[in-house]
Amino acid sequence: MRLCITTSLRPLALAAFLMCGSVLPLTAPVFAADHVPLAASARPQKLEATPAWVTKVAPEWDARDVTAPVYLPLLDVQTRVDARQTYRYSHVIRKIRDTAGLESGSQILMIFDPNYQKLSIHQLQIVRNGKVIQKFDPKKIRYLQRESRLEAQMLDGQITASITLDDARAGDQIEYAYTLTGANPVFDGRFVDIEWVYSNYGPVSQFYYRLQHPDNRQMQWKYDSKLFEMQQETRGGWKETVLRRRFVPAFQNDPYGIAPTYLKDQIQISEFRDWNDVAQWSKRLFQSAYQPAPDIEKEAERLAKLADTPELALLKTLDFVQKEVRYFGTEIGENSHLPHPPADVLRQRFGDCKDKTGLLIALLKAQKIDAEPVLVSTAFRDDTPQLLPSPLAFNHVIARVKLNGKTYWLDGTRSFQAGDLKSRQALAQRTGLPAQADTRELVAMPDPSRDLQAVTWDQYTIQSMGKPAVLDVRQTFYGDGAESLRASLAANRKTDIEKEIIAEYLRFYPAAQVDGSLGVTEENGQNALTLTLRFSLPEFWRYHEKQVLQSEFSPVSLLQTLRMPTQVPRTETMRISPTGMYRHVTDIRFSEPVFSKTFNKRFDETNKHFEIHSIANGEVDHVQIQSDLRFMRDRVEPADWTTYRDKVQRGWNGLLNTLTVNAISTPQLVKAKLDMADLEKAIKEKKISVYSEAQVEAVYRLPVLDAQLNSGRLSEKQKADVYLERAQRLQQIGRLKGAKSDIEKALQIKPQELPLLLQLGQIAQMQNNLPEAARIAKQMLELQANDVSAQSLLASTLYQQKQYAASAAQWRVVLADRNEAEKSTAVIGLFLAAQAAGQDPVAATSEFLPQSTQPAWPYPVLQVLHGQLSESALQEQLKNGGKPDYTKVTEASYALGQFELQKGNKAQAKAWFQKAMFGMQMEMPELYFSDRQIEALK
């Protein structure tokens, strides 16, 4: 039985769709040998006349697809079946539109099997500008051994007559016709065919199929009546059927499609009456498996002696066929479907699926174990009933074994299987045809949708909240998944498997680091394989809203299995994950109690495609989440696509788990509450002076920040964030020394963090350490030359140092960023610096005025400086809800104090500076600048 299976190598989401070479048209043949020997009588030496029975078909020039480099005005296939022979005539016209189509369009391939077919060529020409150019030259025909499945260890003996046309040009029309005489004798003279209407070269304007046969032979047909026109007539003892289809688009493989999707583009014909007819035919093929043979008897006796029960004898026999008889198929001629005698297979120790199944059955029969072959389709699986009863409906064969009241579906080709009989069931095909005379219909195999396909156990170990978490991943795959992995490992693809697992976890934990290499363990007694991998997860906890620690614990394997293969709405059925059960366990263990009480959570989603059941249970130091995903269907119909997408999204959301942990340990939390109570009492008794709600909030926040830093639950980077906030809070209540210390601690963790350096520079300004403030600003500019905050820090420091011209120049650098002009702060800085430097401040700032219709604060201050707003009108701008906004008051009063000071109005300047002190906004440099100016004016 011809076999060509490709499977996805992704260990976490094994492909459900196994594509067979006999189902889809081949696009790129593989050649085992170049210019193979072929008898002269089998090589066409001249053009032969078109057979008289052939009907001439005119091309149709429907060039609807104007972008295709090549299109086919005609694809004409005509077949004549008589009592002795089968003749298949093919006539092709290709039009090469442009040079992009020359390579493929000028290559002609005529494939035949010399064991039972003869090739005759009738026409080979180019039509160029209305002129016919004959191109037939027998010396230029290369006969190649076409072995498209050689990598799958299969030889079919087919030959390709390959012709590469010389001097082909864009605009040429290439036309050729040939006949293949002969049919595979394995079908006992009965006609079967699956004809594709597609061409790999481009769109087809007209596809024409004609079958002529004696009217006493009954043919069954299957085709899409919406796409094809059919005509039939009977005349002179012959029945003729014509199917025609106009404009067939170029073939496009659908990576998410299922095999039945392509049925609309096939014509199926079969002379077999029904499935019983096919079953009886296949039973005759396997007759040799039921015939006694000395070598078979001897080997069966040897295998039986290795076991003490019939079940173990069956297992030993299966092991022998799977592992000691290598897979290699010589499917030449009638051996495309006819198995070699089991004794021959035993002697040569190789064979394909039908050979190995025949040998398995023969060895079991010799041990008095009931076994029979079952034809299956690896592509159509449980969609096989959609096909016509025909040998071409199948591409694989397995064995059905009945022993002690149990039935086992076993595959002799599965050399990577392991474990007991139950775990080796070959149920993926879902439907099969037992090769027995009494078989009437296809039989269903046991439903595998409740069978466990994969289990992932993610063990998170949290030794310290502030240190990297350790994630130990343990993934166990069963059945097909385990076999696929063993095959990949045997092909030295362990590194690829490891990379794929790593990539999936990096989606959720981008900073994850692999600790060690991939471990591989066989699960004894099961057809299962376990992979293990350890990760270190730095910065595992997110410091959420500066209050708590959060992290996501998601069932990575289930989310990958559930992931939509495409987000593009479908017009065809979409393939999804294989049916079966997938489990993911997330186990999180802490080294200390982190929760105050136990908890549980449940999520369920059930629909006709899949169901999810997830249960989370939490103890004070331990959380475990078990999530089960079961696929009942392996496809989504177009009408269900939107609903399915929404259900998948709901499933994703339900499986995503966020764990929240207090950033403060229990002892530190107790201490913080006591400290806050003491502070509240001190504030009420006026032992602590606070001037604003912000300062009250800062006083109460400090014990919380202290507790977070002392709890040991923060990472170093998170500590830096807390140091920064604590510095800001200390700055709000005027404790600059402590604020500076915290910023310096933060800089030890993040030495080049610009916001930290800016904070340190502002503290230096407040402490009147202006050289240090300038140094920090320049350090920031070395790290990032265009940083506006650093440029502004330098400009304001130069002004405090009374380097007014330099300050004005630096403010102009800041204002090169137009966004800064819209904010007005830098424009005010330039105004004051220009005024102090003896320049015209209005002229200096006129080009930088905000352009928006409603400039934001502190634009009103700039208006006062420009004489466009009175000071009394400004007073209304300094209020918020009828109360003074002391942040605005401090900023505006300092600027206007400097304005008056530069004009020589010292009394007015002092009044403004004193007003800047009213709100005691101790986090603002302007407060300290104003205080120093008051001292200077005494």
Side-chain angles (χ1 to χ4, degrees):
M1 196 67 59
R2 287 182 177 170
L3 173 65
C4 177
I5 300 177
T6 58
T7 60
S8 168
L9 292 176
R10 295 182 66 190
L12 294 175
L14 299 169
F17 187 45
L18 305 181
M19 195 64 69
C20 176
S22 63
V23 175
L24 288 180
L26 294 165
T27 57
V30 177
F31 298 104
D34 187 358
H35 221 59
V36 296
L38 192 65
S41 60
R43 299 169 180 259
Q45 299 298 318
K46 62 179 181 179
L47 293 178
E48 298 187 18
T50 301
W53 60 269
V54 171
T55 297
K56 186 175 182 180
V57 182
E60 293 188 0
W61 302 92
D62 182 354
R64 218 173 300 178
D65 187 348
V66 296
T67 62
V70 177
Y71 81 97
L72 288 77
L74 179 65
L75 183 54
D76 172 15
V77 179
Q78 302 185 41
T79 302
R80 178 183 174 92
V81 179
D82 62 25
R84 296 176 303 138
Q85 198 56 276
T86 297
Y87 308 88
R88 177 186 171 89
Y89 169 83
S90 297
H91 178 207
V92 180
I93 299 177
R94 297 178 192 160
K95 181 71 174 179
I96 301 179
R97 276 210 185 92
D98 55 47
T99 54
L102 281 173
E103 183 175 353
S104 62
S106 62
Q107 179 75 31
I108 296 172
L109 305 176
M110 293 171 282
I111 302 166
F112 63 103
D113 191 326
N115 294 284
Y116 56 81
Q117 287 181 318
K118 177 188 174 185
L119 171 65
S120 303
I121 301 177
H122 312 297
Q123 187 179 28
L124 181 57
Q125 63 188 31
I126 292 177
V127 179
R128 182 180 298 152
N129 299 324
K131 180 182 178 182
V132 176
I133 305 171
Q134 298 296 336
K135 301 299 292 183
F136 178 77
D137 183 349
K139 296 179 182 178
K140 293 185 178 181
I141 303 176
R142 299 169 65 209
Y143 295 91
L144 310 175
Q145 185 78 39
R146 180 187 180 277
E147 296 298 349
S148 61
R149 293 173 295 168
L150 183 61
E151 292 181 356
Q153 303 298 304
M154 304 186 77
L155 295 174
D156 58 21
Q158 291 186 331
I159 299 296
T160 296
S162 174
I163 303 171
T164 302
L165 297 177
D166 54 10
D167 193 33
R169 305 176 190 178
D172 284 352
Q173 174 186 314
I174 296 172
E175 186 171 2
Y176 64 96
Y178 64 94
T179 295
L180 299 180
T181 303
N184 193 333
V186 77
F187 300 123
D188 297 335
R190 284 183 279 188
F191 181 73
V192 290
D193 190 17
I194 294 179
E195 188 65 39
W196 280 87
V197 302
Y198 273 128
S199 168
N200 296 322
Y201 296 93
V204 178
S205 293
Q206 179 186 197
F207 174 84
Y208 181 91
Y209 184 88
R210 174 173 173 257
L211 175 64
Q212 188 182 61
H213 61 86
D215 61 6
N216 63 350
R217 297 179 66 168
Q218 300 301 313
M219 301 289 177
Q220 295 192 71
W221 291 80
K222 194 159 191 177
Y223 61 93
D224 191 332
S225 59
K226 297 177 182 178
L227 298 176
F228 291 90
E229 304 169 11
M230 187 182 197
Q231 294 178 333
Q232 285 186 325
E233 67 172 357
T234 302
R235 183 172 54 191
W238 290 88
K239 186 171 184 178
E240 181 173 296
T241 303
V242 173
L243 286 174
R244 190 191 309 263
R245 180 174 166 184
R246 289 176 169 81
F247 189 71
V248 182
F251 176 74
Q252 297 288 335
N253 184 40
D254 182 356
Y256 312 115
I258 61 173
T261 299
Y262 301 100
L263 288 178
K264 67 180 185 301
D265 300 308
Q266 291 181 354
I267 298 171
Q268 300 177 56
I269 311 161
S270 176
E271 205 170 351
F272 287 79
R273 297 185 307 275
D274 50 29
W275 292 117
N276 175 256
D277 201 5
V278 179
Q280 293 194 53
W281 165 83
S282 60
K283 178 176 171 51
R284 291 192 294 273
L285 294 181
F286 283 90
Q287 281 303 311
S288 61
Y290 298 93
Q291 303 301 319
D295 290 346
I296 294 295
E297 298 284 347
K298 182 179 179 181
E299 183 60 29
E301 183 179 358
R302 183 189 72 83
L303 291 168
K305 289 179 179 178
L306 299 176
D308 54 8
T309 66
E311 286 78 9
L312 186 55
L314 170 55
L315 186 60
K316 293 291 185 183
T317 304
L318 179 62
D319 268 335
F320 171 76
V321 173
Q322 288 180 335
K323 296 175 173 57
E324 297 190 39
V325 179
R326 68 186 176 93
Y327 186 92
F328 189 83
T330 52
E331 302 187 339
I332 298 173
E334 64 180 357
N335 287 118
S336 61
H337 293 74
L338 177 66
H340 293 84
D344 292 350
V345 179
L346 178 63
R347 183 176 58 258
Q348 64 193 14
R349 294 295 177 102
F350 70 79
D352 62 8
C353 64
K354 58 187 180 293
D355 297 328
K356 298 185 76 172
T357 297
L359 175 59
L360 176 62
I361 291 170
L363 290 170
L364 293 176
K365 287 289 186 182
Q367 299 175 66
K368 311 303 182 186
I369 297 175
D370 185 17
E372 61 189 9
V374 179
L375 308 185
V376 296
S377 172
T378 61
F380 284 90
R381 301 187 176 192
D382 50 357
D383 293 307
T384 305
Q386 297 187 42
L387 303 175
L388 276 181
S390 163
L392 301 184
F394 309 101
N395 66 343
H396 191 47
V397 61
I398 62 175
R400 181 169 68 175
V401 182
K402 296 179 181 179
L403 180 61
N404 292 335
K406 295 183 178 180
T407 300
Y408 302 97
W409 306 80
L410 304 175
D411 189 339
T413 68
R414 305 278 277 270
S415 60
F416 290 104
Q417 276 192 337
D420 59 12
L421 288 172
K422 183 180 179 182
S423 63
R424 295 204 197 186
Q425 299 258 44
L427 304 178
Q429 283 72 46
R430 306 290 293 274
T431 303
L433 185 73
Q436 293 297 321
D438 60 352
T439 298
R440 293 289 180 264
E441 298 292 340
L442 296 164
V443 298
M445 299 178 186
D447 180 9
S449 67
R450 293 192 179 277
D451 294 346
L452 202 55
Q453 305 296 319
V455 175
T456 298
W457 188 288
D458 283 346
Q459 178 72 64
Y460 295 84
T461 302
I462 317 294
Q463 288 292 347
S464 172
M465 303 286 289
K467 302 295 182 182
V470 175
L471 169 59
D472 287 298
V473 178
R474 180 183 177 87
Q475 297 180 328
T476 302
F477 299 91
Y478 300 86
D480 292 353
E483 294 169 45
S484 177
L485 283 172
R486 291 189 192 105
S488 296
L489 292 168
N492 295 318
R493 296 194 58 195
K494 181 178 178 181
T495 301
D496 294 337
I497 296 171
E498 182 176 331
K499 287 179 180 178
E500 191 154 4
I501 296 174
I502 292 170
E504 284 301 322
Y505 278 84
L506 285 177
R507 287 174 180 264
F508 295 89
Y509 306 115
Q513 300 170 359
V514 179
D515 183 3
S517 59
L518 182 71
V520 181
T521 306
E522 285 286 351
E523 299 297 327
N524 293 330
Q526 305 178 63
N527 188 20
L529 187 75
T530 295
L531 305 178
T532 56
L533 193 62
R534 170 170 284 191
F535 292 91
S536 175
L537 306 178
E539 301 301 321
F540 183 63
W541 297 96
R542 184 174 65 254
Y543 186 35
H544 182 65
E545 295 183 351
K546 298 182 180 181
Q547 297 288 342
V548 295
L549 298 174
Q550 287 186 342
S551 186
E552 279 68 42
F553 295 87
S554 301
V556 175
S557 65
L558 298 192
L559 295 177
Q560 181 195 24
T561 305
L562 193 59
R563 184 179 299 137
M564 293 277 287
T566 175
Q567 292 294 328
V568 179
R570 302 273 300 176
T571 58
E572 300 286 355
T573 303
M574 178 177 71
R575 170 174 49 87
I576 52 178
S577 292
T579 57
M581 181 77 75
Y582 304 83
R583 175 170 294 160
H584 193 112
V585 179
T586 301
D587 194 79
I588 311 153
R589 295 184 181 273
F590 298 89
S591 60
E592 61 174 313
V594 293
F595 304 110
S596 59
K597 59 182 179 179
T598 61
F599 62 90
N600 58 70
K601 171 188 173 186
R602 185 180 182 94
F603 169 75
D604 296 283
E605 164 60 34
T606 301
N607 55 72
K608 67 181 182 181
H609 293 97
F610 64 86
E611 60 182 17
I612 297 172
H613 303 290
S614 181
I615 301 174
N617 292 301
E619 304 292 335
V620 293
D621 60 353
H622 178 215
V623 177
Q624 187 174 99
I625 309 166
Q626 178 173 310
S627 301
D628 289 340
L629 167 64
R630 176 182 169 233
F631 273 96
M632 292 85 77
R633 300 189 182 188
D634 63 356
R635 67 198 62 186
V636 178
E637 300 301 331
D640 296 329
W641 191 90
T642 301
T643 301
Y644 178 78
R645 179 200 59 194
D646 295 342
K647 294 296 185 182
V648 167
Q649 187 59 57
R650 184 177 186 277
W652 262 71
N653 294 339
L655 288 171
L656 294 172
N657 291 286
T658 299
L659 203 60
T660 301
V661 176
N662 201 321
I664 304 175
S665 65
T666 301
Q668 289 295 324
L669 183 60
V670 172
K671 182 178 183 303
K673 289 180 178 179
L674 293 174
D675 290 345
M676 292 173 71
D678 291 341
L679 289 170
E680 183 178 11
K681 181 179 180 181
I683 291 173
K684 287 181 178 179
E685 295 176 353
K686 307 296 184 182
K687 293 179 180 179
I688 296 178
S689 298
V690 288
Y691 302 93
S692 66
E693 291 183 3
Q695 290 176 352
V696 172
E697 181 183 346
V699 170
Y700 285 136
R701 179 67 174 159
L702 285 171
V704 175
L705 298 173
D706 293 343
Q708 289 181 350
L709 288 168
N710 295 330
S711 291
R713 292 186 174 182
L714 301 179
S715 68
E716 290 301 303
K717 290 183 179 179
Q718 290 165 348
K719 285 180 182 178
D721 294 337
V722 177
Y723 282 132
L724 173 59
E725 185 189 353
R726 192 167 73 172
Q728 292 168 341
R729 299 295 188 178
L730 290 170
Q731 192 173 323
Q732 282 181 298
I733 59 176
R735 291 165 58 180
L736 297 182
K737 185 177 179 181
K740 179 183 177 184
S741 176
D742 273 354
I743 294 296
E744 288 172 343
K745 290 175 182 177
L747 281 168
Q748 290 179 1
I749 301 170
K750 299 180 178 180
Q752 296 183 341
E753 191 81 4
L754 291 181
L756 292 174
L757 289 170
L758 176 63
Q759 195 80 11
L760 190 64
Q762 290 175 343
I763 292 173
Q765 283 186 331
M766 296 174 183
Q767 293 178 323
N768 204 25
N769 190 350
L770 299 179
E772 177 65 5
R775 184 197 66 78
I776 292 172
K778 291 174 183 178
Q779 180 184 350
M780 292 175 66
L781 291 171
E782 288 176 1
L783 293 172
Q784 189 169 324
N786 59 349
D787 184 72
V788 172
S789 61
Q791 294 169 348
S792 300
L793 176 63
L794 180 58
S796 64
T797 301
L798 289 170
Y799 185 86
Q800 295 301 315
Q801 291 177 315
K802 299 186 178 181
Q803 299 182 41
Y804 301 123
S807 175
Q810 187 60 42
W811 281 120
R812 288 187 175 91
V813 173
V814 174
L815 290 167
D817 183 344
R818 187 65 209 178
N819 291 328
E820 293 303 309
E822 294 298 319
K823 297 175 185 176
S824 300
T825 300
V827 185
I828 293 171
L830 174 58
F831 184 100
L832 296 175
Q835 180 190 35
Q839 304 169 13
D840 182 349
V842 174
T845 56
S846 59
E847 63 177 297
F848 300 113
L849 297 178
Q851 301 299 310
S852 62
T853 55
Q854 291 183 325
W857 178 267
Y859 179 64
V861 178
L862 183 60
Q863 287 182 297
V864 173
L865 296 178
H866 273 255
Q868 299 171 352
L869 186 71
S870 66
E871 292 182 8
S872 59
L874 176 65
Q875 297 302 319
E876 291 302 314
Q877 300 284 339
L878 300 179
K879 294 179 181 180
N880 185 6
K883 295 181 180 181
D885 183 332
Y886 286 110
T887 299
K888 291 182 178 180
V889 169
T890 301
E891 186 176 9
S893 298
Y894 170 72
L896 294 175
Q898 287 292 331
F899 178 59
E900 295 297 338
L901 185 63
Q902 298 301 333
K903 292 194 299 182
N905 301 327
K906 294 183 179 182
Q908 289 178 283
K910 185 176 181 180
W912 279 114
F913 291 139
Q914 288 174 334
K915 191 172 183 179
M917 304 291 293
F918 285 174
M920 293 299 290
Q921 300 295 300
M922 286 180 277
E923 73 276 13
M924 297 182 66
E926 289 88 346
L927 180 79
Y928 298 87
F929 297 160
S930 296
D931 186 46
R932 290 199 287 269
Q933 290 291 356
I934 293 171
E935 286 295 319
L937 290 172
K938 285 183 179 178

